[in-house]
Amino acid sequence: MKNALVTSIILILVLITTGFMVMDKHNPIRKKDLRLSFPIGFPKPVYDRNLNPPTPDGFVLGRKLFYDPILSKDSSTSCGSCHQRFAAFAHIDHSLSHGIRSQIGNRNVPAIQNVIWQPHFMWDGGVNHLDVFPIAPITHPKEMDQDLPGLLTKLQASKTYPALFKKAFGDGTVSTERTLKAIAQFTQMLVSVNSKYDRYVAGKESLTEQEMTGLTLFRNRCSSCHPEPLFTDYSFRNIGLLPDSAIADSGRAHITGQASDRSKFKVPSLRNVEMTYPYMHDGRFKNLQQVLEHYGKGKFHGDNVDPDVKLNVGLTRNQRADLVAFLKTLTDTEFLNDERFGEPEAVDSK
């Protein structure tokens, strides 16, 4: 028994030192945990993983950074504060984002999932690459309000990060590029492809009669904006919402400066939509029924409302119920409960 115990300890140490298994206070990460496979029919990812291939050490560093409030100016707010795993890394507590000093942002927190397929980020598409995506919330005055030089100073002065950077990148140099690449090694793994819908498409599970009715209705009424299998075309559209005068959000026009882009926002993916409430760029709708009522009533505002939005005018109560039943088949419980993506048991950045 004693010899077996000694052998096991030696084996674990070998795995750790060779990089095959990385231990932290949360759980081990192995090379095989970082492999991705996609169901048939999925498009090629936009993000080139070969330029920033995740390693066990890099993933663990990126996960720690994601959940560490050290990224904010007053060390009170982390990425994970707003992007919660059980909500597909969205935020169900508030309609609008909350940042340091209890500040309230202008937009609802979007889900972080399947980001390797996204050509642009944020509701207005203001960021076009996963590796630089974190800069926006880190430096935003209402979110983390942390300048990058100040962040590097804190990371370099910490007791833990130089050693973690050395394990991940070969030496202890802490740089902006490495910080962003480590976070991207974590977020690129946030892939959701195993919902009931996916198992139905693969022939592994059946949908109920109501879910099938909802799927048919979805394909006829909703797929122009939310095509399978990603359930978004990543376009920017005005869906006819009455603008909130208190926020005065111009949407895509904030980036392009074009009047024709006013009130256009990125079409979100409907994967895990059951869990990513409240809905819309400003979180005005609390549940899916309210979303469908908006489309069904046909009371749209603006002179550039997308024509496809009007396809759902006149949805009956039964049709809305069928659509909700189908949308719930897009919930991926395996993804929502994946321990690889959970918060480390303790974040010690001092």
Side-chain angles (χ1 to χ4, degrees):
M1 178 67 72
K2 183 177 180 180
N3 290 337
L5 178 60
V6 171
T7 301
S8 298
I9 293 175
I10 293 175
L11 178 59
I12 292 173
L13 291 174
V14 169
L15 291 173
I16 293 173
T17 56
T18 59
F20 180 77
M21 177 185 293
V22 175
M23 300 289 291
D24 70 356
K25 295 179 181 180
H26 181 66
N27 64 326
I29 293 295
R30 299 155 295 184
K31 287 184 177 179
K32 72 175 186 178
D33 295 325
L34 302 177
R35 298 169 187 160
L36 288 180
S37 61
F38 315 125
I40 296 175
F42 269 68
K44 181 181 179 181
V46 172
Y47 185 77
D48 188 350
R49 300 182 76 229
N50 293 320
L51 298 179
N52 185 27
T55 65
D57 290 304
F59 177 91
V60 167
L61 171 59
R63 181 175 61 190
K64 179 177 172 62
L65 288 165
F66 184 88
Y67 284 108
D68 196 338
I70 196 175
L71 267 63
S72 63
K73 188 173 185 177
D74 61 0
S75 295
S76 67
T77 305
S78 70
C79 301
S81 297
C82 285
H83 297 282
Q84 302 163 327
R85 180 181 59 158
F86 60 84
F89 293 92
H91 195 186
I92 66 173
D93 293 347
H94 308 288
S95 298
L96 302 173
S97 63
H98 281 212
I100 68 170
R101 300 185 293 273
S102 299
Q103 295 186 95
I104 299 176
N106 295 332
R107 292 174 177 168
N108 177 243
V109 176
I112 300 180
Q113 56 180 337
N114 295 346
V115 291
I116 56 176
W117 284 283
Q118 290 193 33
H120 30 238
F121 301 86
M122 318 297 284
W123 281 103
D124 56 19
V127 178
N128 62 8
H129 199 286
L130 180 61
D131 285 356
V132 298
F133 175 34
I135 294 178
I138 290 173
T139 60
H140 195 287
K142 288 188 176 181
E143 296 188 36
M144 296 183 179
D145 195 25
Q146 175 66 70
D147 64 277
L148 296 179
L151 173 59
L152 292 182
T153 297
K154 289 194 291 184
L155 293 176
Q156 291 165 349
S158 75
K159 295 180 181 180
T160 57
Y161 276 111
L164 292 175
F165 274 82
K166 182 176 182 179
K167 291 181 68 177
F169 296 105
D171 62 67
T173 302
V174 178
S175 67
T176 298
E177 180 183 11
R178 286 180 170 184
T179 299
L180 296 174
K181 282 188 173 296
I183 296 174
Q185 287 192 33
F186 173 68
T187 55
Q188 68 176 271
M189 293 298 302
L190 303 180
V191 173
S192 176
V193 293
N194 191 32
S195 64
K196 183 178 182 180
Y197 158 83
D198 294 303
R199 295 189 295 275
Y200 159 74
V201 171
K204 299 178 180 179
E205 191 167 344
S206 299
L207 300 183
T208 67
E209 181 178 352
Q210 184 181 36
E211 291 166 349
M212 282 298 302
T213 300
L215 172 56
T216 300
L217 186 60
F218 178 88
R219 286 172 171 169
N220 290 333
R221 297 286 197 98
C222 311
S223 61
S224 57
C225 296
H226 299 281
E228 303 164 67
L230 295 173
F231 289 91
T232 175
D233 63 358
Y234 299 113
S235 64
F236 300 90
R237 305 184 188 230
N238 179 359
I239 62 172
L241 296 173
L242 179 65
D244 186 336
S245 58
I247 299 177
D249 192 339
S250 62
R252 181 64 172 165
H254 176 70
I255 302 301
T256 66
Q258 301 296 318
S260 59
D261 285 332
R262 181 169 293 278
S263 297
K264 289 185 178 181
F265 295 90
K266 187 174 67 175
V267 175
S269 173
L270 298 182
R271 284 185 171 271
N272 295 299
V273 69
E274 176 187 10
M275 306 302 299
T276 59
Y277 58 89
Y279 304 105
M280 305 304 172
H281 68 279
D282 56 7
R284 69 177 64 192
F285 296 138
K286 308 306 178 186
N287 54 56
L288 291 172
Q289 288 78 8
Q290 291 180 0
V291 174
L292 294 176
E293 284 174 8
H294 162 72
Y295 292 117
K297 290 178 179 178
K299 295 182 179 179
F300 306 123
H301 301 271
D303 55 7
N304 62 339
V305 176
D306 195 277
D308 288 336
V309 170
K310 301 176 182 179
L311 291 174
N312 291 307
V313 173
L315 283 173
T316 67
R317 179 178 297 181
N318 286 341
Q319 286 177 321
R320 293 198 296 269
D322 293 341
L323 276 172
V324 170
F326 166 68
L327 291 174
K328 289 182 177 180
T329 70
L330 301 180
T331 302
D332 183 350
T333 56
E334 180 182 67
F335 171 67
L336 300 176
N337 296 301
D338 196 321
E339 289 296 326
R340 292 175 301 168
F341 309 140
E343 183 174 4
E345 291 179 2
V347 174
D348 179 16
S349 57
K350 296 181 180 180

